Amino acid sequence: MSRLLCEGLVKRYDRVAAVDEVSLDARGGEWLAVLGPPGAGKSTLARLIVGLESPDRGEIFLDDRLVQSTRPVDRGFGLLSQGEALWPHLSIAENVAYGMKGRGVPRKERRKKVEEALGSIGIEAIADRKPGDLDDLQRRRAELSRAIVDDPDLLILDEPTGLLDPRNRPAFREDLRRLRVESARTVVLLTHHRDDALALTDRLAIMDLGKVVQVGAPVEVYEAP
Ligand code: ADP
Ligand code: ADP
């Protein structure tokens, strides 16, 4: 199980430091929450970690490996992003297989991994459906299957329940809770929903205005003098 270490990360847009000297670690197998209000810099931090953007300063390590020198596709990180990101013209199975196809994973292996990923989230029955035929909960489950299909060393969950119909949030939170129990994997969950952070993670990093202002177990963060 891999440890993520961020040291002194800075990312500016014009005058705004979206991420401002952030140092953070997620221990091997830990679920770490980054909790903060909209605009705090959480999505920018997520994009820096997965390599969709480069930091102006600072370093990101996975175990002893400096990840900046690795292309995003070769980092082996899974990302559940904030918005919906399934191809409408592809079936759920094809969507889940899409990234592996791009990386040249052989067809037989892709099929096996897609079956396992759909099975672990309990959505085998919708493998051949198109995203447009499904509700937002099923689509989110498909996106989660896609994020874990290649067994990533690190999984980033960016506002995982944020855009769901409020009635569907508890069910998806339960899917994540099950994933946490069933698989040993390092996860960073970024959210402004305190209830998600408290239900799903071991430690919280509170982020505001680009900075991590407090880190600790929920009781330390919420009951410190
Ligand atoms: P959060 O995910 O916590 O809501 P973001 O990382 O989206 O926060 O945004 C942090 C700050 O950076 C905000 O002030 C936002 O307006 C700014 N920001 C984020 N992305 C961009 C961008 N691509 N261009 C300009 N400003 C951005
Ligand atoms: P191709 O890769 O040539 O487009 P297919 O159209 O058969 O092949 O499938 C696309 C991808 O989705 C493949 O990686 C395949 O393994 C996977 N796949 C398709 N249908 C299913 C299914 N019902 N269960 C699991 N995996 C599937």
Side-chain angles (χ1 to χ4, degrees), residues 151-163:
D151 204 13
D153 293 331
L154 177 73
L155 177 63
I156 307 287
L157 305 172
D158 188 4
E159 212 65 85
T161 69
L163 291 178

Side-chain angles (χ1 to χ4, degrees), residues 182-198:
E182 287 170 5
S183 59
R185 158 176 306 130
T186 309
V187 175
V188 180
L189 185 155
L190 306 103
T191 186
H192 69 276
H193 288 294
R194 183 180 132 149
D195 47 359
D196 285 351
L198 292 178

Side-chain angles (χ1 to χ4, degrees), residues 91 93-94 97 101 107 110-112 114-115 118 127-128:
S91 72
E94 288 165 340
K101 199 170 178 179
R107 191 172 193 193
R110 285 204 310 267
R111 191 168 191 95
K112 181 164 162 281
V114 170
E115 277 168 12
L118 297 177
D128 299 320

